[in-house]
């Protein structure tokens, strides 16, 4: 039994660094100010295999460890609606960065695209960096702007201190 536990612990220790790169955040404009967004609202839309396949045609998923999802969404809150303004692909270097036309993923929809598919919590770090963590969105900041979204609409908004932060 002890050997099994040691083997399991060793495997977990070796596996952890494989996904331990901090990720480039999404960008969101709130009250005309750009902020980092440690949520990926487009992810739920891309759960549709046909939509994900379209995105794959324009990105090199997995070629940049700081951007496993392959894109950076540029979002905005306007009139209490979550809107997608732009989708940046190849964002790991200025030489490969390009903008994917939104009509490729959202044919026939007006732009910016209203994110009516998204319900969840948006977390925007604010203030000083309290602790850097080289994994996902795990770094800690002084405070966070939290927005609860239901079918693309902001239903609640509040600010919390680091110790009270919900998981994103």
């Amino acid at each position: 039994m002890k050997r099994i536990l040691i083997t399991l612990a060793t495997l977990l220790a070796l596996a952890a660094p494989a996904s331990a790169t901090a990720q480039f955040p999404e960008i969101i404009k709130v009250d005309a100010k750009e902020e980092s967004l440690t949520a990926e609202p487009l992810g739920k839309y891309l759960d549709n295999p046909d939509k994900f396949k379209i995105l794959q045609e324009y990105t090199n998923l997995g070629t940049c460890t700081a951007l496993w999802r392959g894109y950076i969404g540029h979002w905005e809150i306007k009139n209490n609606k979550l809107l997608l303004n732009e989708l940046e692909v190849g964002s790991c270097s200025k030489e490969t960065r390009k903008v994917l036309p939104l009509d490729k993923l959202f044919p026939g929809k007006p732009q910016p695209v209203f994110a009516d598919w998204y319900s969840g919590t948006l977390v925007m770090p604010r203030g000083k960096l309290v602790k850097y963590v080289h994994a996902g969105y795990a770094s800690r900041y002084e405070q966070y702007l939290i927005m609860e979204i239901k079918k693309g609409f902001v239903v609640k908004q509040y600010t919390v201190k680091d110790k009270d932060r919900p998981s994103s």
Side-chain angles (χ1 to χ4, degrees):
M1 180 65 155
K2 187 175 182 181
R3 185 185 303 166
I4 292 171
L5 290 174
I6 291 171
T7 303
L8 182 59
T10 303
L11 287 173
L12 288 173
L14 292 173
S19 61
T21 303
Q23 294 296 293
F24 292 145
E26 300 276 282
I27 306 297
I28 188 165
K29 193 180 287 186
V30 178
D31 298 327
K33 181 184 174 208
E34 281 195 356
E35 306 207 31
S36 295
L37 175 62
T38 61
E40 298 168 7
L42 191 58
K44 292 184 190 245
Y45 185 80
L46 294 173
D47 284 345
N48 176 321
D50 295 330
K51 301 300 181 188
F52 185 71
K53 187 177 179 181
I54 293 168
L55 178 69
Q56 282 182 303
E57 293 174 19
Y58 295 92
T59 62
N60 295 321
L61 294 175
T63 59
C64 172
T65 60
L67 193 59
W68 285 112
R69 66 188 180 280
Y71 65 86
I72 295 175
H74 292 257
W75 303 86
E76 180 177 16
I77 299 294
K78 191 171 186 179
N79 299 323
N80 283 326
K81 289 182 176 180
L82 177 61
L83 304 170
L84 177 60
N85 290 326
E86 183 176 277
L87 199 59
E88 181 183 322
V89 295
S91 304
C92 284
S93 75
K94 290 180 182 177
E95 294 80 32
T96 60
R97 182 196 181 276
K98 58 186 171 191
V99 174
L100 174 66
L102 291 178
D103 62 354
K104 299 287 185 191
L105 274 177
F106 303 94
K109 287 212 174 195
Q111 295 181 20
V113 176
F114 173 51
D116 58 357
W117 66 87
Y118 185 75
S119 293
T121 302
L122 301 180
V123 178
M124 289 143 273
R126 288 184 161 176
K128 291 181 184 176
L129 178 67
V130 173
K131 180 181 180 186
Y132 175 77
V133 179
H134 195 66
Y137 304 115
S139 291
R140 309 297 295 199
Y141 292 82
E142 287 179 316
Q143 61 182 0
Y144 301 86
L145 174 62
I146 310 294
M147 289 187 179
E148 294 177 17
I149 308 293
K150 187 170 184 178
K151 296 184 179 180
F153 288 97
V154 178
V155 293
K156 190 173 183 182
Q157 177 178 321
Y158 53 97
T159 301
V160 296
K161 294 185 188 232
D162 176 52
K163 65 183 177 69
D164 302 320
R165 177 192 148 188
S167 300
S168 51

